[in-house]
């Protein structure tokens, strides 16, 4: 037996007879090959959606925010729903790369790269909304505390919307640095394998002259650990601050102290669902079945089950406290009898079914190890989590303190168009990423190959290692 | 094989006896009539100084009456639309108010200490269940420690349940104002909550979750021992399964527990985060005690394979969970402070006005100190450093439970004296006695046939 010991009951994380070289070849293959027809078709669709969304954004900014379906009662609807939804999706990436690193979860190795890419791309989508939902987006730079000629007029640091600016921009920068640091050894691998001079040049630039010496690796590990330690509180605080946008207010249904941890749990819940959606396809089209295995899917489903459970307990809590408070105003909040039977009953029940009922099926081992069901379930969860944010924002606003200002919201084609546009933009970025970046952290997978690879586990069991 | 040393056994018994005397003194010295209560308040105001902050004494003494009247009004009438017959401004009701608060003090002291040690046992059990469910590779060596700490769960649960029966069914104190039919009859807000806040339902709920937790502990430990002697992983699998369901059950019942036992102390107030906040306090204290007992047993040479990496991991949990607790504390406090809605803000108003040092001081113990001490990776492997941080965390979380219970029950008439110290000593003695007796009964400190045992033995970080 080698110096390493791993309990025999742990399932292998790399299947097949993979060697170090196989890992390299498998990860490099999509980058070194050429895009096939399907890729171009999907890319074109995404691009068209993106361009359409861009058109809607330009139309909004040039005409005015009135082209959206907002009204005087409901001043936030699809814009902030989409913002929170995209930020939430981004959280799983950091969770996988940072929190699972702190918990020494080896299975994260095969999924962290794509999860982080997903974080970056979805935070980019989220970042659009705070700008474009402004009435005067060209004055957006006023949110920054920069010395100026208005007697140095500054921002008020009491607003959670300002905290959002700091939270999101910090989150994006730290995630980007964390992601890029991890990419260095993999870019170096692509650089060393490149045959065409152009590719060689590009990957040389991207890899920052990584040469993989012992000292480099030692510092690399330390930096990763420090960044993971910083990213974990960051990921919690970012979505906490997003939740403060609502919870600091005095709107019934919004003002609730459970929001910070509940939003974070919901973010991980939806983020993991999105990771599943992407990876179940990616493992097939990029031939990475040996690395993103059934066990990975199952583990992710377990995280979904856990965070879904946390979210469900928060729903129960919200529902209970709304009643317990004895306040009449709480009767129409997004988790109340009033919401379940009111004009937005369909949104209420969509939330309950998609976020509570359907994920419960994952308790069944057969279903959570089933690719098809995991894929369907993950999409349902993301729909449900979109509804959760929609319900929180729109239902709570629609029936506020004064009955004379009760109102309904219906989106216009511009609201919908911008949302579709961000989905298109996201996939444009993700599809480009999948063809140019090493989608699996091969350097990291190589560190677990001998402890958790199927072949080596078998050798250990037979006592031949 | 561990033998409960005579010195420790005697020490724990002495603690219990001294504690009982302290608790008894608390009950004897609490006033039984309005006149006694008035005399006590007067003596407290004009007599010896010290105690806890000058502002407090002044308030109790000179500005006492208008203050309390104002509070009574705020407490009972903050929903303007609700009419109730009670005239809070009259003298007699004010004096009765003072009396019931002073009478509450020894009861509150017992509740705080009883729950503090109970939550450590319960938190350790939750940590234990998580280790099973997460198939953790480093911790099986510490299973026996966690099992022993959770042994306190049963006596702790019995004591708490008896306490709640005495409180509710026998009306022996005024901790929960909603249990007073007089108050219930005149308070419109509380009447709306009658469906939940009623004594039979309260006792049934408490019985269900206490029984559920105790039962899980019983079967988990039984299976864990059975696994030692088994030839396959049957008992391991069984424990995995029941741990999953325990965690599910716990997560829901813990919320209800926090609403019932603690949020119910101030039935006009509500906060959705509250239950998770109590959980964070519970969990970090429990991990701290696991680390402390582990260090103690290691120093006795009993945990052969436990090395400083195991300690490092526990200390990391202490560090991370301290930060997590602070996060929830801040989340709850800031949101209520920021929106400043009168229905909710009153809760923190009392705490800031009359418990300033406790309320903000606990942050020093619960956050600042452990944060600075446990940041360094090397320090997390040094026993006395972890011990120091642990003592700070435990003091801090006692303060936390104290500031949850006291302001709602005793209000501005609180102090920290014989009844409080007596209660701590009694339950500390009982805790030590039960936990170390359980350790003495442990046949082997290694969970022999646990499938992750080998990993745990070779664990190095």
């Amino acid at each position: 037996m080698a110096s390493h010991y791993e309990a025999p009951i742990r399932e292998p994380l790399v299947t097949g007879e993979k060697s170090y070289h196989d890992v390299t070849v498998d990860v490099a293959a999509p980058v070194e090959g050429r895009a096939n027809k399907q890729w171009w078709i999907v890319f074109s669709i995404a691009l068209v959606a993106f361009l359409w969304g861009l058109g809607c954004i330009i139309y909004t900014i040039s005409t005015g925010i009135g082209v959206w379906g907002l009204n005087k009662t409901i001043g936030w609807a699809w814009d902030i729903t989409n913002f929170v939804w995209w930020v939430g999706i981004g959280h799983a990436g950091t969770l996988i790369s940072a929190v699972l690193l702190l918990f020494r979860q080896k299975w994260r190795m095969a999924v962290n790269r794509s999860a982080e890419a997903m974080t970056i791309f979805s935070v980019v989508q989220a970042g659009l909304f705070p700008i474009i939902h402004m009435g005067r987006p060209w004055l957006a730079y006023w949110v920054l505390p920069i010395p100026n000629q208005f007697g140095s007029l500054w921002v008020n640091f009491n607003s959670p919307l300002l905290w959002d600016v700091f939270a999101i921009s910090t989150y994006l920068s730290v995630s980007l640095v964390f992601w890029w640091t991890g990419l260095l050894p993999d870019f170096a691998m692509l650089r060393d394998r490149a045959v065409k001079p152009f590719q060689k040049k590009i990957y040389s630039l991207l890899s920052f002259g990584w040469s993989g010496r012992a000292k480099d690796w030692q510092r690399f590990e330390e930096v990763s650990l420090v960044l993971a330690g910083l990213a974990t509180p960051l990921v919690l605080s970012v979505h906490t601050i997003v939740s403060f946008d609502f919870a600091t207010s005095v709107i019934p249904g919004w003002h609730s102290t459970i929001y910070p941890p509940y939003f974070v749990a919901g973010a991980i819940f939806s983020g993991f669902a999105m990771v599943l959606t992407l990876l179940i396809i990616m493992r097939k089209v990029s031939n990475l079945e040996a690395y993103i295995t059934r066990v990975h899917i199952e583990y992710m489903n377990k995280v979904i089950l856990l965070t879904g459970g946390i979210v469900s307990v928060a729903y129960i809590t919200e529902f209970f406290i709304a009643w317990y408070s004895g306040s009449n105003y709480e009767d129409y909040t997004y988790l109340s009898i009033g919401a379940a039977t009111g004009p937005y009953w369909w949104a209420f029940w969509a939330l309950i079914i998609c976020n509570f009922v359907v994920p419960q099926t994952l308790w069944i081992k057969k279903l959570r190890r089933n690719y098809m069901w995991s894929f369907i379930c993950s999409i349902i969860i993301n729909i449900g989590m979109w509804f959760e944010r929609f319900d929180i924002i729109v239902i709570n606003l629609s029936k506020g303190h004064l009955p004379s200002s009760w109102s309904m919201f219906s989106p216009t084609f511009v609201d919908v168009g911008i949302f579709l546009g961000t989905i298109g933009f996201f996939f444009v970025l993700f599809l480009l990423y999948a063809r140019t970046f090493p989608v699996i952290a091969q350097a990291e997978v190589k560190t677990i190959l001998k402890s958790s690879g199927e072949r080596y586990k078998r050798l250990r069991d037979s006592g031949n290692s | 094989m561990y033998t409960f040393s005579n010195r420790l056994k005697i020490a724990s018994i002495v603690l219990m006896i001294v504690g009982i005397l302290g608790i008894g003194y608390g009950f004897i010295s609490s006033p039984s009539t309005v006149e006694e209560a008035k005399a006590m308040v007067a003596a407290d105001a004009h007599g010896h100084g010290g105690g806890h902050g000058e502002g407090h004494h002044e308030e109790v003494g000179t500005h006492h009456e208008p203050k309390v009247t104002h509070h009574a009004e705020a407490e009972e009438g903050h929903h303007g639309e609700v009419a109730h017959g009670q005239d809070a401004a009259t003298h007699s009701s004010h004096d009765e108010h003072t009396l019931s608060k002073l009478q509450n003090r020894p009861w509150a002291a017992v509740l705080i200490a009883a729950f503090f040690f109970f939550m450590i046992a319960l938190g350790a059990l939750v940590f234990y269940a998580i280790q099973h469910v997460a198939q953790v590779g480093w911790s099986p060596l510490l299973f026996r420690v966690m099992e022993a700490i959770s042994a306190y769960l049963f006596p702790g649960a019995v004591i708490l349940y008896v306490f709640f029966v005495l409180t509710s069914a026998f009306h022996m104190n005024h901790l929960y104002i909603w249990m007073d039919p007089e108050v219930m009859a005149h308070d419109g807000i509380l009447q709306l909550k009658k469906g939940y806040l009623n004594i039979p339902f309260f006792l049934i709920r408490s019985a269900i979750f206490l029984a559920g937790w105790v039962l899980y502990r019983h079967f988990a430990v039984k299976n864990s021992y059975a696994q030692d002697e088994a030839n396959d992983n049957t008992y391991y699998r069984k424990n995995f399964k029941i741990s999953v369901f325990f965690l599910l059950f716990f997560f829901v019942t813990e919320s209800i527990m926090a609403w019932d036992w603690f949020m119910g102390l101030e039935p006009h107030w509500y906060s959705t985060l509250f239950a998770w906040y109590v959980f964070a306090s519970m969990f970090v204290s429990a991990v701290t005690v696991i680390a402390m007992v582990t260090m103690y047993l290691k120093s006795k040479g009993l945990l052969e394979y436990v090395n400083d990496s195991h300690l490092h991991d526990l200390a990391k949990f202490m560090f991370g969970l301290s930060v997590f607790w602070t996060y929830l504390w801040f989340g709850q406090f800031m949101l209520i402070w920021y929106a400043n809605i009168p229905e909710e803000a009153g809760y923190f108003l009392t705490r800031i006005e009359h418990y300033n040092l406790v309320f903000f001081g606990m942050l020093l113990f619960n956050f600042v100190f452990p944060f600075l001490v446990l940041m360094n990776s090397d320090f997390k492997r040094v026993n006395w450093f972890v011990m120091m941080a642990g003592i700070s965390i435990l003091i801090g979380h006692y303060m936390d439970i104290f500031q949850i219970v006291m302001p709602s029950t005793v209000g501005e008439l609180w102090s920290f004296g014989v009844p409080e110290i007596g209660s701590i000593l009694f339950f500390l003695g009982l805790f030590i006695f039960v936990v170390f007796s359980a350790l003495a009964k442990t046949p082997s400190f290694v969970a022999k046939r646990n499938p992750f045992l080998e990993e745990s033995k070779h664990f190095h970080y």
Side-chain angles (χ1 to χ4, degrees), chain A residues 5 7 9-10 104 158 160 225 240 244 247-248 255-258 260-261 310 313 317 320-321 323-325 363, chain B residues 135 137-138 192-193 244 251 259 263 270-273 313 327 334-335 338-339 341 344 451-452 454-455 459 461:
Chain A
Y5 180 83
I9 66 165
R10 293 201 192 277
R104 301 192 289 261
N158 290 343
L225 207 55
T240 291
F244 284 169
T248 53
H255 181 72
S256 173
T257 48
I258 209 170
I310 295 175
V313 172
T317 305
F320 173 74
I321 300 285
W323 170 81
Y324 182 82
S325 75
W363 282 99
Chain B
Q135 305 191 308
W138 63 273
L192 290 174
K193 306 183 185 186
V244 171
F251 195 28
W259 300 334
M263 214 162 82
Y270 48 87
S271 165
T272 38
L273 182 61
D313 264 26
Y327 163 69
M334 193 280 268
L335 288 176
Y338 191 107
I341 302 174
E344 303 174 344
F452 296 106
E454 280 306 308
E455 273 190 30
F459 173 63
Y461 179 71

Side-chain angles (χ1 to χ4, degrees), chain A residues 123-304:
Chain A
V123 173
V124 166
Q125 308 313 318
L128 288 171
F129 288 99
I131 311 274
I132 61 168
H133 92 309
M134 289 181 175
R136 298 179 185 83
W138 48 91
L139 296 181
Y141 70 96
W142 284 18
V143 304
L144 303 172
I146 29 180
N148 54 57
Q149 292 178 340
F150 298 100
S152 219
L153 180 68
W154 268 38
V155 286
N156 184 342
F157 286 95
N158 290 343
S159 167
L161 299 183
L162 182 67
W163 309 340
D164 268 346
V165 175
F166 303 134
I168 302 294
S169 53
T170 310
Y171 186 46
L172 182 61
S173 0
V174 172
S175 303
L176 202 58
V177 170
F178 197 7
W179 188 48
W180 208 275
T181 321
L183 275 162
L184 293 178
D186 290 5
F187 278 146
M189 176 273 283
L190 289 175
R191 169 199 67 197
D192 296 344
R193 285 175 57 88
V195 277
K196 291 180 211 144
F198 178 70
Q199 275 192 352
K200 192 136 197 125
K201 185 81 202 154
I202 294 290
Y203 288 112
S204 308
L205 284 172
L206 295 180
S207 61
F208 294 176
W210 176 268
S211 55
R213 289 169 302 182
K215 199 72 198 166
D216 298 348
W217 277 114
Q218 185 232 335
R219 289 188 173 135
F220 176 89
E221 297 268 329
E222 271 178 32
V223 164
S224 307
L225 207 55
V226 170
L227 279 177
L230 288 173
T232 304
L234 186 66
V235 74
L236 259 77
S237 65
V238 168
H239 220 63
T240 291
I241 287 170
V242 170
S243 83
F244 284 169
D245 295 348
F246 311 101
T248 53
S249 74
V250 294
I251 312 254
W254 279 13
H255 181 72
S256 173
T257 48
I258 209 170
Y259 268 30
Y262 150 59
F263 265 51
V264 173
I268 299 165
F269 182 52
S270 69
F272 261 80
M274 188 59 123
V275 176
L276 269 183
T277 312
L278 297 172
L279 289 188
I280 288 174
I281 298 178
M282 184 182 261
R283 66 187 292 281
K284 265 262 164 319
V285 296
S286 299
N287 297 317
L288 297 170
E289 285 107 327
Y291 306 97
I292 301 165
T293 64
R294 213 179 272 283
V295 187
H296 291 84
I297 307 294
E298 184 181 13
Y299 287 163
M300 281 191 266
N301 275 327
K302 281 183 176 173
V303 176
I304 285 177

Side-chain angles (χ1 to χ4, degrees), chain A residues 107-122:
Chain A
W107 60 273
R108 65 175 265 289
M109 307 288 188
V111 292
N112 61 352
R113 177 66 42 73
S114 295
E116 286 168 51
M118 185 197 73
T119 295
I120 312 273
F121 302 147
S122 55

Side-chain angles (χ1 to χ4, degrees), chain B residues 295 382-389:
Chain B
M295 282 185 283
V382 180
N383 277 7
W384 67 272
F385 251 98
V386 179
M387 199 53 111
M388 229 166 50

